[in-house]
Amino acid sequence: LLAYFCLLLNGYTQNTTLNNPDSFQAFKDLGSAEDKVEYFFDIENRYRNTSAYRWLGEVNKMLENSEEVNDSLAIIQYKILLSQIYYETGYYQKGIGIAEEIHKTKVDLSTKTRLYLLGVMDKTYAALERYDKQLVIRQEIRKLGKDVSLYDIYANLGLYNTAVKYYIMRFESTID
């Protein structure tokens, strides 16, 4: 039993680089901005071994390099990362300003990248209690095929009857 536990623990600790203390270095070593964005959003506890401010500094450097070579897609992707880091450090206004700037441009982004952007905007609008704007973002997320709830936003807006209607529609198969 003890040997099984040790093997299980060993397998768990070697799981993936997503929880690796060197995830910051692994992020820096990735080639494209798109790969870095995907990796960044997949990392659990990214600030466990490397501070948010170090991540912020590194992403800012990458953004500056992209601006020097005029790589417009990489610029947008690094700005999405900045927006997420600002959200996670409590600088909501700064983060949402960057995200809104990207969102207004209507640049043709991959669905996955657009969902990252909209996810950051959704969380930041919730933190800022801008539920009207959060509702618009959630509807846009829904148009991209992702199942998201709306009832919580309607409840936050004081539209309780609408919130109950959306809640029932979402969970009617589980309600007895």
Side-chain angles (χ1 to χ4, degrees):
L1 185 61
L2 181 60
Y4 176 74
F5 178 73
C6 289
L7 285 173
L8 183 65
L9 184 61
N10 186 35
Y12 176 76
T13 57
Q14 294 178 1
N15 191 0
T16 69
T17 59
L18 297 181
N19 295 318
N20 186 339
D22 293 331
S23 59
F24 180 69
Q25 186 60 46
F27 169 82
K28 290 175 23 177
D29 292 342
L30 289 170
S32 72
E34 188 172 4
D35 289 343
K36 289 178 181 178
V37 168
E38 190 169 329
Y39 183 79
F40 180 86
F41 281 100
D42 285 342
I43 298 171
E44 296 176 13
N45 301 320
R46 66 181 138 269
Y47 307 126
R48 184 177 65 197
N49 296 310
T50 306
S51 76
Y53 298 101
R54 190 158 176 215
W55 280 93
L56 188 62
E58 187 62 34
V59 172
N60 268 318
K61 278 194 257 179
M62 292 173 179
L63 174 61
E64 289 170 7
N65 292 339
S66 297
E67 289 171 337
E68 285 176 12
V69 297
N70 204 21
D71 184 347
S72 58
L73 186 56
I75 291 169
I76 288 169
Q77 291 169 325
Y78 290 131
K79 284 184 176 184
I80 292 170
L81 294 182
L82 286 178
S83 184
Q84 177 69 23
I85 295 169
Y86 284 128
Y87 163 77
E88 292 172 344
T89 55
Y91 295 101
Y92 305 128
Q93 291 294 348
K94 197 166 190 171
I96 200 63
I98 293 168
E100 285 176 339
E101 174 190 318
I102 298 166
H103 191 253
K104 286 178 190 173
T105 63
K106 300 291 182 189
V107 174
D108 188 29
L109 299 172
S110 71
T111 301
K112 197 168 198 172
T113 302
R114 183 157 301 281
L115 284 171
Y116 289 139
L117 171 65
L118 296 173
V120 172
M121 294 178 78
D122 178 46
K123 292 183 292 192
T124 308
Y125 282 138
L128 292 169
E129 298 181 358
R130 296 297 314 267
Y131 304 119
D132 54 331
K133 292 189 175 209
Q134 185 186 17
L135 181 61
V136 172
I137 295 301
R138 288 253 182 111
Q139 289 169 338
E140 195 172 330
I141 292 170
R142 196 176 251 192
K143 285 180 187 173
L144 292 174
K146 191 167 180 188
D147 185 31
V148 291
S149 65
L150 300 176
Y151 59 86
D152 57 327
I153 300 173
Y154 285 120
N156 288 332
L157 288 168
L159 303 170
Y160 302 110
N161 289 336
T162 306
V164 168
K165 180 180 111 183
Y166 274 95
Y167 183 83
I168 291 170
M169 285 180 3
R170 182 171 173 124
F171 295 108
E172 68 184 323
S173 64
T174 60
I175 298 175
D176 291 329

